Amino acid sequence: MAAAPHRQPAPSPRPPAADEPALARPVERLAAVQDRLAGWISDLTTLHDLTERLVRTDTLESAVHEALRAGAALVGARRGLIALEPADGLGPDTTVGLGLGASDIGHIETLPRDSAPHARLLDGRPGAGAGEGRTGPGGLREITHPHIARDEDLDPRHREVAARLGYAASHAVPLTARSTGLLGAAVWLYDEPARPTERQRHLLGLYVRHAAEHIARQVDLARARSAVATVREELLPTRLPRVPGVRLAVRHRTGPRGGGDWYDVLPLPEGALGLCVGGVTGSGPDALAAMGRLRASMRAYAVMEGEDPVAVLSDLELLLRLTEPARSATVLFGYAERTPSAADGPEAGTRVVLAGAGHCPPLIVGPERTEVVETALSAPLGMLACWEAPSVEVDLAPGETLLLYSDGLLHRTGEPLERAFTRLRAAAVAAVPAVRADPDALLDHLLRSVLPGERDGAGGAGGGTAGAGGEVRDARDAEDAVLLAACF
């Protein structure tokens, strides 16, 4: 009988080796995946929050400041700057700092362009050195100086400025948009030797691409606003004329879209003076163009028949119907001359003939009175088949001021027109004698009283003050506002 085959005992389960990777265990592998997913969710949440803050900015300056702040948070830096130099050469060329004063930025701008990291990116030459000229995640070029004091390849001036300003490392990236190409470059500064981690670089790359597109849109808007402001300034008087016996002052506040309000002071033959405030409907470049045409025509008509304000407005109305049939306009025109019977006396008065088309009534402000000039109630130009309304004549005593203004001043209060006009008149009544006697002081007083949020207008014929950086603080600020004062 054959012997039974020898059977090896079944091997007992092998205990895991002490150095076996933890990820080999299913439970721990799942935990690692969960940790990675949690990290991704955290990163996406951070990017979402930062980009939401960015898209809420509505000016170029605020967008650049927000991009700097967010980038510093992503790479763990405390300071930085963005240098804007759009590749098309149309500007704006500017440098904005985070945690840097004007003198600090000035020191950094003294660096040779072949050493300053943001300048090298702007010039399209990252260079070659320790940690420099890398291509980061997503193809974003980067220049990193992890230890500036020990980097012998850097220009000595670079190390000197870094030591003076107290930063030890830097990380720079370009700002590039699809529509405009290279916009500028950003650099963040570390207080201690450091470099961003791979994760930080990845998040920064994602954010910078989005930020560059938003900044490019704000650059386009800033250029458009600048162009509109330039056109507006060219269409309005750059300064008021010098007229013997008359002191003039004007304040012009404009909305960001460039409204069609205008003013004019025109010396006329025989020592007379033409005064005008008006506005066309609409806003933007087309309204500015229409305003420029009407103002130029008004000047021509005032020279030809200014002593008859009704004829001046009748001619203007005919021109408006022929050239701007879809528009209307409000105008107030006054023809002022010294009283003939007292022309040689030391206390000669002034006679003013006024005609208005749908415009707010002017005010007379003097040492003894504050009165409303009741002009004839009339429709704006372009609203009727044929416009005509009677003129009104007023006599001003020496030292009295005639105040003309646009309805935008009343609209900016946000109140009904009647209540806003009452506030304006009350402010004129409350002016002290010294303010009444000075047209500039009177206009500043009225602006402070009627529009408390407005800043004093130092520039006589200056442009608008819609808000810091040009943004609209409120929907009412979109209205133009004009105040013109003539003290005889």
Side-chain angles (χ1 to χ4, degrees):
M1 183 173 180
H6 177 73
R7 294 183 178 181
Q8 297 290 340
S12 60
R14 181 177 61 85
D19 58 347
E20 183 176 356
L23 289 180
R25 304 168 186 171
V27 175
E28 295 184 1
R29 183 179 300 171
L30 178 61
V33 171
Q34 290 176 337
D35 288 343
R36 182 174 297 180
L37 288 175
W40 289 345
I41 293 173
S42 175
D43 291 345
L44 290 175
T45 302
T46 299
L47 284 176
H48 178 267
D49 293 342
L50 293 178
T51 52
E52 269 205 339
R53 289 176 59 94
L54 179 68
V55 298
R56 284 198 295 268
T57 61
D58 56 2
T59 65
L60 177 60
E61 182 180 8
S62 60
V64 171
H65 278 293
E66 175 58 29
L68 266 175
R69 187 201 64 79
L74 289 174
V75 299
R78 190 172 62 88
R79 293 178 289 174
L81 63 87
I82 285 180
L84 290 180
E85 291 184 16
D88 58 13
L90 300 179
D93 293 350
T94 184
T95 301
V96 178
L98 171 70
L100 298 171
S103 60
D104 299 333
I105 295 177
H107 282 304
I108 294 175
E109 289 179 339
T110 64
L111 295 178
R113 287 188 70 88
D114 60 354
S115 183
H118 62 285
R120 292 218 303 276
L121 289 173
L122 290 173
D123 293 341
R125 45 188 179 89
E132 300 180 13
R134 299 184 302 174
T135 299
L140 185 68
R141 289 181 299 149
E142 304 171 338
I143 297 180
T144 305
H145 294 298
H147 202 317
I148 294 176
R150 294 183 180 178
D151 194 341
E152 298 297 333
D153 295 330
L154 285 179
D155 188 284
R157 175 66 181 167
H158 193 155
R159 296 195 297 270
E160 176 187 343
V161 169
R164 180 178 301 176
L165 300 184
Y167 66 89
S170 66
H171 181 70
V173 297
L175 300 175
T176 305
R178 291 188 299 270
S179 59
T180 58
L182 184 64
L183 278 174
V187 57
W188 286 275
L189 309 175
Y190 296 88
D191 294 340
E192 302 292 338
R195 71 165 66 243
T197 64
E198 190 71 20
R199 176 184 177 187
Q200 290 174 329
R201 293 169 56 213
H202 178 69
L203 291 178
L204 181 66
L206 295 175
Y207 179 80
V208 163
R209 281 194 291 273
H210 180 83
E213 297 295 338
H214 183 71
I215 292 174
R217 290 190 290 270
Q218 294 302 325
V219 166
D220 289 339
L221 287 174
R223 289 173 176 176
R225 290 168 180 161
S226 177
V228 168
T230 301
V231 171
R232 181 174 58 238
E233 293 304 317
E234 291 298 323
L235 291 176
L236 292 174
T238 56
R239 59 184 178 184
L240 297 177
R242 293 178 178 269
V243 181
V246 184
R247 286 185 295 162
L248 300 165
V250 68
R251 297 293 182 268
H252 186 201
R253 300 292 183 263
T254 58
R257 294 186 294 274
D261 286 9
W262 85 86
Y263 60 90
D264 210 345
V265 179
L266 183 63
L268 297 174
E270 300 180 1
L273 186 67
L275 302 168
C276 180
V277 170
V280 300
T281 55
S283 61
D286 55 340
L288 286 175
M291 177 266 283
R293 288 190 291 268
L294 285 183
R295 176 177 172 268
S297 302
M298 167 71 77
R299 293 175 70 88
Y301 298 148
V303 171
M304 291 188 295
E305 43 194 1
E307 61 186 15
D308 185 358
V310 171
V312 172
L313 296 192
S314 296
D315 292 342
L316 196 65
E317 196 272 341
L318 177 60
L319 176 73
L320 184 68
R321 281 196 290 117
L322 293 176
T323 61
E324 304 283 346
R327 291 190 185 277
S328 62
T330 64
V331 187
L332 182 65
F333 178 75
Y335 176 84
E337 62 179 356
R338 290 169 68 101
T339 305
S341 61
D344 297 327
E347 296 297 326
T350 302
R351 180 177 72 95
V352 183
V353 183
L354 292 156
H359 208 80
C360 304
L363 290 175
I364 298 175
V365 182
E368 305 296 335
R369 62 170 176 166
T370 299
E371 293 183 1
V372 180
V373 180
E374 295 293 348
T375 55
L377 185 62
S378 169
L381 302 181
M383 298 290 289
L384 303 177
C386 181
W387 177 91
E388 187 169 345
S391 59
V392 61
E393 183 177 317
V394 296
D395 292 316
L396 301 180
E400 289 187 327
T401 297
L402 183 66
L403 177 68
L404 284 65
Y405 55 94
S406 68
D407 57 1
L409 175 70
L410 306 182
H411 287 304
R412 279 201 177 205
T413 65
E415 298 178 339
L417 290 183
E418 290 185 3
R419 185 180 300 174
F421 176 75
T422 301
R423 178 190 290 191
L424 174 65
R425 187 176 184 278
V429 170
V432 299
V435 171
R436 289 167 173 257
D438 183 348
D440 279 295
L442 177 62
L443 295 189
D444 288 340
H445 164 74
L446 294 176
L447 277 178
R448 286 194 300 268
S449 302
V450 178
L451 304 175
E454 287 282 358
R455 297 172 294 181
D456 291 352
T465 56
E471 72 274 11
V472 186
R473 295 185 305 272
D474 191 282
R476 299 187 300 268
D477 288 348
E479 293 277 353
D480 279 16
V482 174
L483 294 93
L484 176 63
C487 179
F488 298 90

PDB file of all heavy atoms in Angstrom, residues 4-20:
ATOM      1  N   ALA A   4       0.746   7.575   2.013  1.00  0.00           N
ATOM      2  CA  ALA A   4       0.002   8.822   1.706  1.00  0.00           C
ATOM      3  C   ALA A   4       0.991   9.953   1.455  1.00  0.00           C
ATOM      4  O   ALA A   4       2.018  10.070   2.126  1.00  0.00           O
ATOM      5  CB  ALA A   4      -0.927   9.176   2.871  1.00  0.00           C
ATOM      6  N   PRO A   5       0.661  10.787   0.426  1.00  0.00           N
ATOM      7  CA  PRO A   5       1.591  11.908   0.132  1.00  0.00           C
ATOM      8  C   PRO A   5       1.654  12.885   1.290  1.00  0.00           C
ATOM      9  O   PRO A   5       0.674  13.130   1.978  1.00  0.00           O
ATOM     10  CB  PRO A   5       0.986  12.533  -1.126  1.00  0.00           C
ATOM     11  CG  PRO A   5      -0.457  12.162  -1.080  1.00  0.00           C
ATOM     12  CD  PRO A   5      -0.526  10.813  -0.439  1.00  0.00           C
ATOM     13  N   HIS A   6       2.832  13.407   1.457  1.00  0.00           N
ATOM     14  CA  HIS A   6       3.035  14.367   2.550  1.00  0.00           C
ATOM     15  C   HIS A   6       2.450  15.727   2.170  1.00  0.00           C
ATOM     16  O   HIS A   6       2.701  16.243   1.095  1.00  0.00           O
ATOM     17  CB  HIS A   6       4.543  14.500   2.838  1.00  0.00           C
ATOM     18  CG  HIS A   6       4.826  15.515   3.907  1.00  0.00           C
ATOM     19  ND1 HIS A   6       4.552  15.267   5.238  1.00  0.00           N
ATOM     20  CD2 HIS A   6       5.366  16.750   3.812  1.00  0.00           C
ATOM     21  CE1 HIS A   6       4.922  16.328   5.928  1.00  0.00           C
ATOM     22  NE2 HIS A   6       5.421  17.250   5.069  1.00  0.00           N
ATOM     23  N   ARG A   7       1.564  16.253   2.969  1.00  0.00           N
ATOM     24  CA  ARG A   7       0.942  17.552   2.717  1.00  0.00           C
ATOM     25  C   ARG A   7       1.587  18.636   3.578  1.00  0.00           C
ATOM     26  O   ARG A   7       1.753  18.460   4.774  1.00  0.00           O
ATOM     27  CB  ARG A   7      -0.552  17.512   3.012  1.00  0.00           C
ATOM     28  CG  ARG A   7      -1.312  16.602   2.068  1.00  0.00           C
ATOM     29  CD  ARG A   7      -2.788  16.665   2.376  1.00  0.00           C
ATOM     30  NE  ARG A   7      -3.536  15.825   1.454  1.00  0.00           N
ATOM     31  CZ  ARG A   7      -4.861  15.694   1.479  1.00  0.00           C
ATOM     32  NH1 ARG A   7      -5.556  16.362   2.388  1.00  0.00           N
ATOM     33  NH2 ARG A   7      -5.471  14.904   0.595  1.00  0.00           N
ATOM     34  N   GLN A   8       1.947  19.712   2.858  1.00  0.00           N
ATOM     35  CA  GLN A   8       2.511  20.856   3.593  1.00  0.00           C
ATOM     36  C   GLN A   8       1.393  21.565   4.335  1.00  0.00           C
ATOM     37  O   GLN A   8       0.291  21.748   3.821  1.00  0.00           O
ATOM     38  CB  GLN A   8       3.184  21.830   2.616  1.00  0.00           C
ATOM     39  CG  GLN A   8       4.362  21.231   1.880  1.00  0.00           C
ATOM     40  CD  GLN A   8       5.538  21.004   2.805  1.00  0.00           C
ATOM     41  OE1 GLN A   8       5.633  21.602   3.875  1.00  0.00           O
ATOM     42  NE2 GLN A   8       6.419  20.087   2.434  1.00  0.00           N
ATOM     43  N   PRO A   9       1.665  21.968   5.508  1.00  0.00           N
ATOM     44  CA  PRO A   9       0.629  22.735   6.242  1.00  0.00           C
ATOM     45  C   PRO A   9       0.335  24.063   5.533  1.00  0.00           C
ATOM     46  O   PRO A   9       1.201  24.675   4.924  1.00  0.00           O
ATOM     47  CB  PRO A   9       1.268  22.963   7.618  1.00  0.00           C
ATOM     48  CG  PRO A   9       2.724  22.824   7.387  1.00  0.00           C
ATOM     49  CD  PRO A   9       2.891  21.834   6.262  1.00  0.00           C
ATOM     50  N   ALA A  10      -0.940  24.467   5.561  1.00  0.00           N
ATOM     51  CA  ALA A  10      -1.338  25.745   4.920  1.00  0.00           C
ATOM     52  C   ALA A  10      -0.601  26.902   5.564  1.00  0.00           C
ATOM     53  O   ALA A  10      -0.466  26.961   6.796  1.00  0.00           O
ATOM     54  CB  ALA A  10      -2.847  25.952   5.046  1.00  0.00           C
ATOM     55  N   PRO A  11      -0.074  27.782   4.721  1.00  0.00           N
ATOM     56  CA  PRO A  11       0.665  28.920   5.308  1.00  0.00           C
ATOM     57  C   PRO A  11      -0.269  29.838   6.077  1.00  0.00           C
ATOM     58  O   PRO A  11      -1.412  30.088   5.682  1.00  0.00           O
ATOM     59  CB  PRO A  11       1.246  29.623   4.078  1.00  0.00           C
ATOM     60  CG  PRO A  11       0.325  29.270   2.968  1.00  0.00           C
ATOM     61  CD  PRO A  11      -0.163  27.892   3.257  1.00  0.00           C
ATOM     62  N   SER A  12       0.203  30.266   7.176  1.00  0.00           N
ATOM     63  CA  SER A  12      -0.581  31.220   7.984  1.00  0.00           C
ATOM     64  C   SER A  12      -0.512  32.596   7.337  1.00  0.00           C
ATOM     65  O   SER A  12       0.433  32.916   6.617  1.00  0.00           O
ATOM     66  CB  SER A  12      -0.025  31.263   9.411  1.00  0.00           C
ATOM     67  OG  SER A  12       1.340  31.671   9.386  1.00  0.00           O
ATOM     68  N   PRO A  13      -1.543  33.408   7.539  1.00  0.00           N
ATOM     69  CA  PRO A  13      -1.552  34.776   6.945  1.00  0.00           C
ATOM     70  C   PRO A  13      -0.300  35.558   7.335  1.00  0.00           C
ATOM     71  O   PRO A  13       0.085  35.594   8.498  1.00  0.00           O
ATOM     72  CB  PRO A  13      -2.815  35.416   7.527  1.00  0.00           C
ATOM     73  CG  PRO A  13      -3.694  34.264   7.911  1.00  0.00           C
ATOM     74  CD  PRO A  13      -2.755  33.157   8.332  1.00  0.00           C
ATOM     75  N   ARG A  14       0.290  36.214   6.273  1.00  0.00           N
ATOM     76  CA  ARG A  14       1.520  36.967   6.533  1.00  0.00           C
ATOM     77  C   ARG A  14       1.187  38.335   7.119  1.00  0.00           C
ATOM     78  O   ARG A  14       0.387  39.071   6.548  1.00  0.00           O
ATOM     79  CB  ARG A  14       2.298  37.144   5.226  1.00  0.00           C
ATOM     80  CG  ARG A  14       3.615  37.890   5.390  1.00  0.00           C
ATOM     81  CD  ARG A  14       4.360  37.951   4.072  1.00  0.00           C
ATOM     82  NE  ARG A  14       3.594  38.658   3.058  1.00  0.00           N
ATOM     83  CZ  ARG A  14       3.614  39.999   2.917  1.00  0.00           C
ATOM     84  NH1 ARG A  14       4.354  40.724   3.725  1.00  0.00           N
ATOM     85  NH2 ARG A  14       2.888  40.565   1.970  1.00  0.00           N
ATOM     86  N   PRO A  15       1.757  38.654   8.205  1.00  0.00           N
ATOM     87  CA  PRO A  15       1.502  39.993   8.762  1.00  0.00           C
ATOM     88  C   PRO A  15       2.113  41.043   7.849  1.00  0.00           C
ATOM     89  O   PRO A  15       3.134  40.824   7.211  1.00  0.00           O
ATOM     90  CB  PRO A  15       2.206  39.947  10.125  1.00  0.00           C
ATOM     91  CG  PRO A  15       3.237  38.895   9.979  1.00  0.00           C
ATOM     92  CD  PRO A  15       2.675  37.869   9.039  1.00  0.00           C
ATOM     93  N   PRO A  16       1.451  42.193   7.713  1.00  0.00           N
ATOM     94  CA  PRO A  16       1.980  43.250   6.833  1.00  0.00           C
ATOM     95  C   PRO A  16       3.345  43.696   7.293  1.00  0.00           C
ATOM     96  O   PRO A  16       3.625  43.797   8.478  1.00  0.00           O
ATOM     97  CB  PRO A  16       0.940  44.371   6.967  1.00  0.00           C
ATOM     98  CG  PRO A  16       0.234  44.110   8.264  1.00  0.00           C
ATOM     99  CD  PRO A  16       0.257  42.633   8.458  1.00  0.00           C
ATOM    100  N   ALA A  17       4.175  43.915   6.299  1.00  0.00           N
ATOM    101  CA  ALA A  17       5.516  44.404   6.629  1.00  0.00           C
ATOM    102  C   ALA A  17       5.430  45.781   7.245  1.00  0.00           C
ATOM    103  O   ALA A  17       4.529  46.578   6.955  1.00  0.00           O
ATOM    104  CB  ALA A  17       6.373  44.435   5.359  1.00  0.00           C
ATOM    105  N   ALA A  18       6.414  46.050   8.058  1.00  0.00           N
ATOM    106  CA  ALA A  18       6.405  47.340   8.766  1.00  0.00           C
ATOM    107  C   ALA A  18       6.544  48.502   7.799  1.00  0.00           C
ATOM    108  O   ALA A  18       6.050  49.593   8.046  1.00  0.00           O
ATOM    109  CB  ALA A  18       7.528  47.355   9.806  1.00  0.00           C
ATOM    110  N   ASP A  19       7.250  48.276   6.670  1.00  0.00           N
ATOM    111  CA  ASP A  19       7.481  49.385   5.725  1.00  0.00           C
ATOM    112  C   ASP A  19       6.513  49.346   4.553  1.00  0.00           C
ATOM    113  O   ASP A  19       6.754  49.978   3.532  1.00  0.00           O
ATOM    114  CB  ASP A  19       8.919  49.314   5.219  1.00  0.00           C
ATOM    115  CG  ASP A  19       9.210  47.988   4.539  1.00  0.00           C
ATOM    116  OD1 ASP A  19       8.390  47.060   4.679  1.00  0.00           O
ATOM    117  OD2 ASP A  19      10.269  47.907   3.887  1.00  0.00           O
ATOM    118  N   GLU A  20       5.427  48.553   4.613  1.00  0.00           N
ATOM    119  CA  GLU A  20       4.476  48.511   3.513  1.00  0.00           C
ATOM    120  C   GLU A  20       3.759  49.852   3.396  1.00  0.00           C
ATOM    121  O   GLU A  20       3.307  50.401   4.396  1.00  0.00           O
ATOM    122  CB  GLU A  20       3.454  47.394   3.763  1.00  0.00           C
ATOM    123  CG  GLU A  20       2.453  47.245   2.616  1.00  0.00           C
ATOM    124  CD  GLU A  20       1.531  46.073   2.859  1.00  0.00           C
ATOM    125  OE1 GLU A  20       1.738  45.381   3.854  1.00  0.00           O
ATOM    126  OE2 GLU A  20       0.603  45.885   2.060  1.00  0.00           O
TER     127      GLU A  20
END
